[in-house]
């Protein structure tokens, strides 16, 4: 039909497209391996070149042994138990068959058959069922004879290789039973070796080794033989529990012998020894030791775990195989080279093995845990070695104490210290003090994280500016990162800051004219100083005197110290000092007044001198009199007396 109407093809039902040929394609995976009891997926995909119409789709799965096991026909699915085809997946070209709880009888070849419209495609896929053997090594005694029985159970397929070894040599005289079928279709068999032990057999290592397709590496179980009287412990022959090892091609190269008597192992891995904290950026060495009977091939591997990540660090760095060491099973998650700076070394002694791990911690190592493992890895080695936690630490670096530019409130001086590069976050205690008086300050609040993961913070303390008086005063800060950490101290001497400012002292101001007997005020303006504290005096040098003398507050002189007023920013003080006195000609004329100011920021006092005082005194004028002597006689002499004036000289008298 389709062939008859090729031009109409795109409009036709997919059924007819199939008939047009070569539109249906199918793919199957050649094989799938699945462990007994797991879920297997037999992969089969198909494509029709356009959206799939379930109405014309038919899918069948056939087992070579059992015929059709699953089918889907025009929207209807029928499956054997444990098998499943997803209708949803079918509509997107996925005809894979899910086999749940894989059983031995599922092993075999399957055919995936897809029909779309008139076209049919099929492909084959094989399911290999695998079951790994379990082994146990037993000893049976009858009189002088001893039988070693290696029971290998639960394996599939049947092909396997089982060997008994003594001191890593194959034992020739062992017998092997024929495989028995178990109820689940897996196989079991037993290897037996019977002999009469003598004293010199004590300590011999017997092992049972099995190779099987379901195992990545041979499975080995072994133990050391004990013979009565050969050893002070005097245990019964072979009263030893063996360990199961998964080993490389070399075979039974065990790592150390676990001889459990009363639950104690004869060989044990110590805890990791290391510092309680690791200082950031400083190389640290961790140690662990193994005591007891250790086999030559044994090596210590360091395991580092952090969250989900697990890394093994072996001798000569991560990923490197230890010397004389066969390949052993890869850990679940190994990131070789992720910790390139971590180096592991080990040293053998008569009593055991000592392993060291050296690295330079970074912040990223914080919280990681480390432990020692013996390689080849023991699957049944008793207690798990404890994990040692890396706790990274970096003390803060203190900046010098600084005075912040903005003073708020203005009567308090803000001192700040910057704490840099500490880890972990948090500062236990910061205490500020001045002149031995302490002020506690709790944690700083402005933590910042640095690029390297460390933290920085600033602590600010506001000291009352009133208490600053001397350049030798010291502000101290004491920082304790953790409660047990030694305090780190910083100190600032007030004299080293730019806080201290000397005063500017103005010229002395006084009234234009000084008149004897009338009170006068001299003023001296002092600006720009810090701190507030100020000393000063007024002095007077009398006319003709060599030295000036201080004026006290007395009846003759009243000192007006003035009120210091802070500038708006708190960093400067202004004050006006005054001296009030009532001048007299004799005392004050020609005298010189000095305003002298002392301040911590001044090496020498600043003195401002007035000019020599010019004291004026107006004349007292007596009544006009007629003098008794008239000369010349034709003129009447009138006289007036001017008294007590200063200075000398009357520029103008008019009659
Ligand atoms: C196909 O479908 C099965 C379920 O039947 C599913 O498990 C599988 O992931 C699907 N495959 C793909 C490639 O989507
Ligand atoms: C499993 O199936 C494959 C493929 O049919 C076959 O070759 C093999 O012998 C089977 N294994 C066993 C143990 O039956």
């Amino acid at each position: 039909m389709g062939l008859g109407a090729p031009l109409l093809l795109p409009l036709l039902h997919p059924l007819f497209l199939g008939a047009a040929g070569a539109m249906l394609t199918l793919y199957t995976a050649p094989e799938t391996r699945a462990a007994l009891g797991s879920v297997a997926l037999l992969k089969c995909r198909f494509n029709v070149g356009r959206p799939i119409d379930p109405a014309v789709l038919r899918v069948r799965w056939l087992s070579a042994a059992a015929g059709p096991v699953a089918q889907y026909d025009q929207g209807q699915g029928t499956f054997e138990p444990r098998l499943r085809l997803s209708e949803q997946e079918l509509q997107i070209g996925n005809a894979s068959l899910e086999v749940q709880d894989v059983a031995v009888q599922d092993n075999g070849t399957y055919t995936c058959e897809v029909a779309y419209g008139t076209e049919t495609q099929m492909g084959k896929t094989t399911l290999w069922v695998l079951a790994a053997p379990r082994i146990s090594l037993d000893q049976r005694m009858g009189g002088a004879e001893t039988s070693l029985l290696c029971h290998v159970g639960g394996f599939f397929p049947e092909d396997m290789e089982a060997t008994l070894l003594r001191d890593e040599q194959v034992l020739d005289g062992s017998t092997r039973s024929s495989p028995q079928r178990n109820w689940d279709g897996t196989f079991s068999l037993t290897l037996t070796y019977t002999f009469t032990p003598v004293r010199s057999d004590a300590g011999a290592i017997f092992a049972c080794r099995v190779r099987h397709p379901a195992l990545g590496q041979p499975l080995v179980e072994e133990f050391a033989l004990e013979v009565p009287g050969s050893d002070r412990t005097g245990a019964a022959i072979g009263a030893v529990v063996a360990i199961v090892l998964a080993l490389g091609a070399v075979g039974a190269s065990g790592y150390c012998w676990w001889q459990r008597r009363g639950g104690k192992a004869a060989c044990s891995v110590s805890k990791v020894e290391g510092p309680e904290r690791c200082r950031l950026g400083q190389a640290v060495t961790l140690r662990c030791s193994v005591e007891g009977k250790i086999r030559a091939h044994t090596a210590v591997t360091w395991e580092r775990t952090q969250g989900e990540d697990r890394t093994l660090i072996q001798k000569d760095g991560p990923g490197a195989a230890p010397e004389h060491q066969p390949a052993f099973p890869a850990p679940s998650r190994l990131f070789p080279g992720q910790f390139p700076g971590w180096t592991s070394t080990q040293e053998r002694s008569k009593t055991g093995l000592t392993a060291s791990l050296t690295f330079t911690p970074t912040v990223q190592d914080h919280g990681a845990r480390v432990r020692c493992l013996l390689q080849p890895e023991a699957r049944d080695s008793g207690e798990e070695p404890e994990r040692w936690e890396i706790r990274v630490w970096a003390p803060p670096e203190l900046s010098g104490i600084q005075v912040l530019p903005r003073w708020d409130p203005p009567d308090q001086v803000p001192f700040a210290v910057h704490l840099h590069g500490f880890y972990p976050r948090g500062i236990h205690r910061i205490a500020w003090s001045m002149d031995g008086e302490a002020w506690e300050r709790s944690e700083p609040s402005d933590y910042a994280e640095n690029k390297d993961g460390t933290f920085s913070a600033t602590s600010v303390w506001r000291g009352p500016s009133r208490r600053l008086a001397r350049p030798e005063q010291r502000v101290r800060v004491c920082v304790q990162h953790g409660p047990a950490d030694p305090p780190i101290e910083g100190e600032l001497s007030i004299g080293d800051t730019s806080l201290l400012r000397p005063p500017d002292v103005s010229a002395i101001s006084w009234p234009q004219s000084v008149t004897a007997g009338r009170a006068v005020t001299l003023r001296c303006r002092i600006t720009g100083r810090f701190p507030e504290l100020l000393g000063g005096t007024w002095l007077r040098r009398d006319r003709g005197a060599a030295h000036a003398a201080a004026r006290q507050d007395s009846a003759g002189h009243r000192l007006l110290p003035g009120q210091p007023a802070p500038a708006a920013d708190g960093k400067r003080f202004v004050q006006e000092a005054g001296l009030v006195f009532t001048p007299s000609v004799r005392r004050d004329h020609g005298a010189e007044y000095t305003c002298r100011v002392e301040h911590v920021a001044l090496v020498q006092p600043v003195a401002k001198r007035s000019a020599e005082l010019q004291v004026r005194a107006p004349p007292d004028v007596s009544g006009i009199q007629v003098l008794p002597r008239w000369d010349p006689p034709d003129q009447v002499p009138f006289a007036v007396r001017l008294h007590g004036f200063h200075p000398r000289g009357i520029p103008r008298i008019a009659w």
Side-chain angles (χ1 to χ4, degrees):
M1 257 208 303
L3 287 170
L7 292 175
L8 294 175
L9 271 181
L11 303 172
L12 291 178
H13 193 276
L15 174 70
F16 302 107
L17 289 175
M23 294 306 285
L24 175 66
T25 53
L26 182 135
Y27 164 81
T28 48
E31 59 174 32
T32 303
R33 288 158 171 265
L36 198 70
S38 69
V39 176
L41 189 67
L42 307 182
K43 292 186 193 103
C44 177
R45 293 194 65 87
F46 64 96
N47 190 347
V48 295
R50 48 173 48 225
I52 292 162
D53 179 0
V56 295
L57 176 68
R58 273 174 300 129
V59 176
R60 278 209 304 173
W61 276 95
L62 301 115
S63 145
V69 288
Q71 66 183 31
Y72 177 87
D73 193 351
Q74 298 179 356
Q76 272 302 113
T78 42
F79 327 109
E80 298 273 295
R82 299 190 291 111
L83 304 185
R84 210 172 67 86
L85 268 178
S86 158
E87 192 172 338
Q88 241 177 339
E89 292 286 332
L90 280 173
Q91 288 176 24
I92 54 168
N94 177 2
S96 301
L97 182 69
E98 204 177 87
V99 185
Q100 277 153 358
D101 190 16
V102 169
V104 161
Q105 68 264 26
D106 297 330
N107 182 81
T109 301
Y110 292 78
T111 303
C112 172
E113 190 185 277
V114 174
Y116 196 68
T118 58
E119 200 178 2
T120 304
Q121 292 284 343
M122 57 184 80
K124 286 192 189 308
T125 184
T126 298
L127 174 62
W128 295 95
V129 176
L130 294 168
R134 296 178 293 272
I135 59 177
S136 64
L137 195 48
D138 278 326
Q139 179 155 21
R140 242 171 246 165
M141 282 166 289
E145 281 199 337
T146 278
S147 289
L148 300 179
L149 302 173
C150 176
H151 186 74
V152 188
F155 55 93
F156 187 87
E158 194 181 334
D159 288 343
M160 55 91 80
E161 182 198 298
T163 325
L164 277 172
L165 304 146
R166 177 185 168 153
D167 293 330
E168 298 172 31
Q169 302 298 313
V170 174
L171 278 175
D172 286 331
S174 68
T175 58
R176 173 180 162 158
S177 74
S178 56
Q180 303 293 307
R181 195 106 205 193
N182 301 317
W183 64 270
D184 61 355
T186 60
F187 297 93
S188 297
L189 60 75
T190 305
L191 284 183
T192 311
Y193 178 68
T194 303
F195 72 116
T196 306
V198 296
R199 268 187 177 211
S200 59
D201 290 330
I205 308 303
F206 286 89
C208 179
R209 185 182 67 194
V210 173
R211 297 182 200 273
H212 185 269
L215 293 171
Q217 280 88 28
L219 189 62
V220 179
E221 180 165 325
E222 58 187 339
F223 65 69
L225 191 75
E226 279 186 21
V227 177
S230 63
D231 162 352
R232 238 169 283 142
T233 56
I237 294 177
V240 163
V241 174
I243 47 157
V244 178
L245 301 172
L247 296 179
V250 165
S253 56
Y255 64 97
C256 90
W257 306 112
W258 294 83
Q259 301 183 334
R260 290 215 192 109
R261 286 187 212 98
K264 282 213 168 169
C267 156
S268 61
V269 188
S270 76
K271 275 197 223 168
V272 174
E273 284 168 38
E276 200 182 310
R277 298 189 298 183
C278 301
R279 179 138 181 191
L280 196 73
Q282 276 184 10
V284 61
T285 297
L286 311 181
R287 279 194 180 78
C288 87
S289 53
V290 186
E291 282 186 6
K293 224 175 139 188
I294 304 162
R295 304 292 302 269
H297 297 310
T298 301
V300 168
T301 292
W302 293 83
E303 180 203 61
R304 178 195 197 274
T305 46
Q306 194 161 29
E308 290 290 297
D309 292 344
R310 174 173 181 254
T311 305
L312 295 186
I313 295 135
Q314 292 154 1
K315 208 167 153 188
D316 304 323
E323 268 177 74
H324 318 301
Q325 186 63 36
F328 44 77
S332 51
R333 292 184 73 174
L334 174 61
F335 302 104
Q338 196 183 347
F339 301 100
W342 293 46
T343 52
S344 146
T345 56
Q346 36 201 280
E347 221 170 86
R348 268 168 195 283
S349 70
K350 272 183 193 153
T351 55
L353 186 72
T354 309
S356 318
L357 177 68
T358 303
F359 63 99
T360 303
T362 68
V363 161
Q364 283 72 36
D365 296 320
H366 188 71
R369 283 163 184 274
V370 169
R371 65 173 175 172
C372 282
L373 297 174
L374 282 175
Q375 291 286 0
E377 194 171 0
R379 282 199 190 146
D380 179 21
S381 53
E383 318 96 81
E384 283 250 297
E386 249 178 76
R387 289 186 163 92
W388 183 84
E389 187 179 339
I390 301 176
R391 296 207 289 148
V392 177
W393 160 79
E397 258 175 54
L398 259 55
S399 72
I401 298 174
Q402 286 183 331
V403 177
L404 296 182
R406 215 174 132 244
W407 299 14
D408 184 18
D411 62 346
Q412 290 182 2
V413 184
F415 295 95
V417 70
H418 189 65
L419 318 177
H420 181 74
F422 55 92
Y423 192 88
R425 197 180 195 270
I427 295 291
H428 170 66
R429 181 170 169 258
I430 299 181
W432 288 86
S433 65
M434 188 163 72
D435 291 339
E437 193 175 343
W439 281 268
E440 288 278 342
R441 279 294 172 279
S442 57
E443 282 221 348
S445 54
D446 65 330
Y447 286 99
E449 193 172 341
N450 303 315
K451 264 194 189 147
D452 63 358
T454 61
F455 295 92
S456 294
T458 306
S459 170
V460 177
W461 172 68
R462 292 172 208 281
S465 75
R466 235 160 243 288
R467 306 188 75 119
L468 295 177
R470 291 166 290 114
E472 63 275 14
Q473 263 178 317
R474 275 156 213 280
V475 171
R476 282 195 178 87
V477 66
C478 175
V479 175
Q480 230 183 331
H481 185 197
D485 286 330
I488 305 170
E489 294 192 4
E491 192 181 83
L492 176 74
S493 158
I494 297 297
D496 294 340
T497 66
S498 55
L499 278 176
L500 302 183
R501 284 170 197 278
D504 280 333
V505 183
S506 70
I508 293 174
S509 67
W510 69 89
Q512 285 290 318
S513 66
V514 175
T515 307
R518 259 194 252 154
V520 63
T521 306
L522 304 188
R523 288 183 197 283
C524 179
R525 197 173 149 79
I526 306 150
T527 54
R529 73 177 185 278
F530 187 90
E532 181 190 320
L533 203 73
L534 192 73
T537 39
W538 287 93
L539 303 123
R540 191 185 73 213
R541 187 173 65 82
D542 294 333
R543 184 166 28 138
H547 297 288
R551 292 297 102 194
Q552 309 293 335
D553 212 359
S554 63
H557 292 91
R558 195 149 57 82
L559 302 179
L560 303 175
Q563 269 301 320
D569 64 2
K571 298 176 189 175
R572 277 159 235 256
F573 287 88
V574 178
Q575 193 169 349
E576 199 169 62
L579 178 70
V580 185
F581 61 96
T582 306
S584 71
V585 170
R586 181 172 313 148
R587 189 189 68 191
D588 294 309
H589 184 74
E592 221 173 58
Y593 277 88
T594 298
C595 164
R596 194 172 69 185
V597 171
E598 288 158 31
H599 186 262
V600 289
L602 289 172
V603 179
Q604 285 196 326
V606 170
K608 286 289 155 102
R609 246 186 304 160
S610 69
E612 287 181 3
L613 242 52
Q614 300 302 317
V615 180
R616 299 170 55 80
D620 281 338
V621 184
S622 66
I624 298 171
Q625 290 181 337
V626 177
L627 296 181
R629 225 176 125 237
W630 299 17
D631 185 14
D634 59 348
Q635 289 178 357
V636 183
F638 295 98
V640 73
R641 187 168 168 79
L642 309 177
H643 174 76
F645 59 91
H646 193 268
R648 198 177 192 269
I650 299 288
R652 184 170 163 264
I653 299 177
W655 289 88

